[in-house]
Amino acid sequence: YTLGADVLVAPVISEGNPATTDVWIPPGTWIDFFTGEALDGPAIVQRSVPYDQYPVFVRAGAIVPTQPDVVTSSQGPQDDLVINVWPGADGAFDLYEDEGQGFGYQHDHFAWTHITSHTSGTCRSVTIGAASGTFPGALTQRRWHVQFIGGDLVDTGAQPTNASLTVPMSGCEPTMH
């Protein structure tokens, strides 16, 4: 099954520990989440995995935000987000946020933040757009952590959410596109 357009998870239904399974890789370049191996699809690959692991693949260029563990989504927007950016292509992601409880979203009480990644040679950068929209409890500042998979983690410190921000990999100049 897929989570959005950029994450492919392949449940294992065969016996054994580790168990062996065949996985269909869709067209394009996909990266094994656990090993970093790049695969070109369409293709069928065989994986041997232990009980505590699934075959997980991420599309080249994917942007996948994560947050610290929270008890419930009703805690509202999180200040400490990690923007995970996979290499191999340019990418885009629209981050949706709302109050985390109630029905305010039905009355346009939500926000979107457009996030893009750009690759130029060996350098990559991420542009985090200004938040569009608002809702009760919306953050006016956020600390972003940009994790360039296969590269470094960049901590932006607190940044206003109503302005764009471009974050380059360390050793690279910001790129405009």
Side-chain angles (χ1 to χ4, degrees):
Y1 60 90
T2 59
L3 298 172
D6 293 332
V7 179
L8 171 69
V9 180
V12 178
I13 57 172
S14 55
E15 294 180 20
N17 188 21
T20 301
T21 189
D22 290 333
V23 180
W24 180 75
I25 303 297
T29 301
W30 293 78
I31 300 167
D32 186 302
F33 182 87
F34 297 104
T35 68
E37 175 188 7
L39 304 163
D40 289 321
I44 296 176
V45 298
Q46 191 173 76
R47 288 292 186 258
S48 178
V49 294
Y51 285 147
D52 62 346
Q53 191 177 36
Y54 282 98
V56 178
F57 303 90
V58 182
R59 187 184 306 275
I63 299 171
V64 180
T66 58
Q67 69 181 30
D69 290 336
V70 293
V71 177
T72 175
S73 64
S74 66
Q75 291 182 270
Q78 299 299 305
D79 178 40
D80 217 12
L81 290 184
V82 178
I83 305 301
N84 299 282
V85 183
W86 271 264
D90 292 350
F93 182 86
D94 289 312
L95 176 68
Y96 170 87
E97 296 179 284
D98 63 26
E99 192 174 5
Q101 59 186 351
F103 298 97
Y105 67 91
Q106 293 177 339
H107 304 285
D108 295 332
H109 297 169
F110 55 82
W112 290 97
T113 302
H114 188 64
I115 304 169
T116 59
S117 66
H118 180 71
T119 302
S120 179
T122 59
C123 287
R124 290 184 281 159
S125 64
V126 169
T127 299
I128 301 166
S132 173
T134 190
F135 55 92
L139 299 175
T140 58
Q141 290 191 97
R142 170 172 276 140
R143 179 181 194 150
W144 300 95
H145 299 274
V146 178
Q147 176 65 64
F148 293 97
I149 303 300
D152 53 352
L153 174 68
V154 179
D155 181 345
T156 67
Q159 300 291 321
T161 56
N162 65 352
S164 288
L165 170 68
T166 298
V167 181
M169 283 177 55
S170 59
C172 297
E173 295 296 320
T175 55
M176 297 300 164
H177 46 74

